[in-house]
């Protein structure tokens, strides 16, 4: 039995896809089956991940991105090319964008800040999920305090006038996370850009601010 068959059998044991599975159930399957891989070298693991991704199934994609995160200590700058190709080819909506970018891909950029500049080209990509990824991918480095101070605002500037609501929510979410680390920077940015920022992004960005500050910003 190959690894794809092993994973499919483990999923069948929880009655997937016949019954809807919870993310926690899929992550448990991922943990168990990862231990069964014959080799945890990053090249081999990412090959298995791509085999899972090529099935274009929600649960298998979740497992693939989890396995990719588990080899984070073996990342190199060259890993970016693999992850970017996955983003372009396999990510279809906000949920897999967020899962991939707030774990494996985000960790890669946290390790190698010099790669962030490469994501700026995503701002004009035709697929909204890739454009959303440009902001969401910074959430993990921000939380881990391993993000250059200017990177979040650079990303926001490039996405500021994007017309897709899920892109707007994506960079609004990123600013909300940033507000818990660099409050004054976010407040000043919102004061300067409130006239140009879509309201949905603005509202996401201020969610974690105190009531008085939120009220003041909303009145601008």
């Amino acid at each position: 039995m190959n690894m794809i068959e092993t994973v499919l059998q483990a999923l069948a044991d929880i009655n997937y896809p016949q019954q809807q599975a919870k993310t926690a159930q899929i992550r448990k399957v991922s943990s168990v089956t990862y231990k069964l891989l014959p080799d945890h070298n990053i090249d081999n693991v990412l090959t298995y991940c791509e085999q899972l991704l090529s099935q274009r199934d929600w649960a298998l994609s979740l497992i693939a991105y989890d396995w990719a995160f588990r080899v984070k200590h073996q990342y190199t700058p060259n890993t970016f090319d693999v992850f970017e190709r996955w983003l372009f080819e396999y990510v279809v909506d906000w949920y897999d964008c967020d899962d991939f970018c707030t774990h494996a891909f985000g960790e890669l950029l946290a390790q190698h800040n010099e790669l962030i500049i490469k994501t700026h080209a995503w701002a004009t990509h035709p697929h909204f999920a890739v454009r959303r990824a440009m902001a969401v991918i910074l959430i993990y480095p921000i939380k881990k305090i391993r993000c250059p101070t200017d990177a979040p605002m650079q990303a926001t500037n490039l996405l500021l006038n994007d017309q897709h609501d899920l892109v707007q929510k994506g960079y609004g979410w990123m600013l909300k996370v940033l507000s818990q680390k660099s409050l004054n920077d976010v407040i000043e940015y919102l004061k300067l850009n409130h006239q140009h920022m879509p309201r949905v992004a603005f509202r996401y960005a201020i969610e974690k601010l105190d009531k008085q500050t939120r009220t003041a910003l909303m009145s601008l």
Side-chain angles (χ1 to χ4, degrees):
M1 182 181 294
N2 63 35
M3 282 310 302
I4 297 293
E5 292 172 339
T6 299
V7 172
L8 290 173
Q9 182 57 59
L11 290 172
D13 290 343
I14 60 171
N15 295 318
Y16 179 87
Q18 288 75 21
Q19 294 183 8
Q20 186 175 2
K22 296 181 179 180
T23 299
Q25 291 177 288
I26 304 302
R27 293 202 186 282
K28 184 174 181 179
V29 169
S30 180
S31 177
V32 170
T33 53
Y34 178 78
K35 295 173 184 177
L36 300 177
L37 292 177
D39 188 341
H40 289 156
N41 175 272
I42 187 170
D43 292 333
N44 293 322
V45 172
L46 296 187
T47 297
Y48 288 125
C49 291
E50 184 130 21
Q51 291 174 3
L52 294 173
L53 290 169
S54 68
Q55 303 301 305
R56 300 186 183 278
D57 173 86
W58 167 73
L60 295 179
S61 295
L62 200 69
I63 292 169
Y65 297 137
D66 181 57
W67 286 4
F69 186 56
R70 289 173 182 270
V71 292
K72 61 186 177 182
H73 297 301
Q74 299 179 60
Y75 290 171
T76 71
N78 292 332
T79 308
F80 183 91
D81 295 333
V82 177
F83 283 1
E84 184 180 53
R85 181 169 53 78
W86 289 3
L87 176 65
F88 292 168
E89 187 169 349
Y90 299 115
V91 168
V92 297
D93 212 335
W94 65 267
Y95 51 84
D96 48 351
C97 168
D98 294 359
D99 185 59
F100 183 30
C101 291
T102 61
H103 293 85
F105 214 162
E107 167 64 26
L108 175 63
L109 265 60
Q111 290 183 22
H112 299 283
N113 287 173
E114 73 277 9
L115 297 173
I116 293 174
I117 190 69
K118 290 189 172 187
T119 69
H120 290 182
W122 302 350
T124 56
H125 195 279
H127 190 1
F128 84 87
V130 175
R131 303 197 306 275
R132 177 184 173 94
M134 185 182 150
V136 172
I137 202 170
L138 296 177
I139 289 175
Y140 184 96
I142 290 169
K143 286 183 175 179
K144 298 298 182 180
I145 318 178
R146 292 154 62 194
C147 184
T149 55
D150 59 343
M153 303 318 181
Q154 288 177 350
T156 303
N157 286 338
L158 289 168
L159 297 171
L160 193 64
N161 297 311
D162 197 289
Q163 297 301 301
H164 201 291
D165 68 317
L166 290 175
V167 177
Q168 297 168 9
K169 290 176 180 178
Y171 76 75
W173 176 24
M174 184 265 291
L175 289 175
K176 175 172 62 177
V177 173
L178 183 64
S179 74
Q180 298 176 278
K181 303 294 183 181
S182 302
L183 176 61
N184 291 334
D185 290 342
V186 173
I187 291 175
E188 288 305 310
Y189 185 87
L190 294 176
K191 286 180 178 178
L192 289 172
N193 294 280
H194 71 278
Q195 291 182 320
H196 311 290
M197 184 180 291
R199 219 53 184 168
V200 65
F202 190 84
R203 288 182 179 276
Y204 264 64
I206 66 174
E207 276 186 359
K208 292 294 185 178
L209 305 184
D210 64 83
K211 184 177 180 180
Q212 183 178 356
T213 304
R214 287 201 312 272
T215 301
L217 289 170
M218 288 294 291
S219 66
L220 293 174

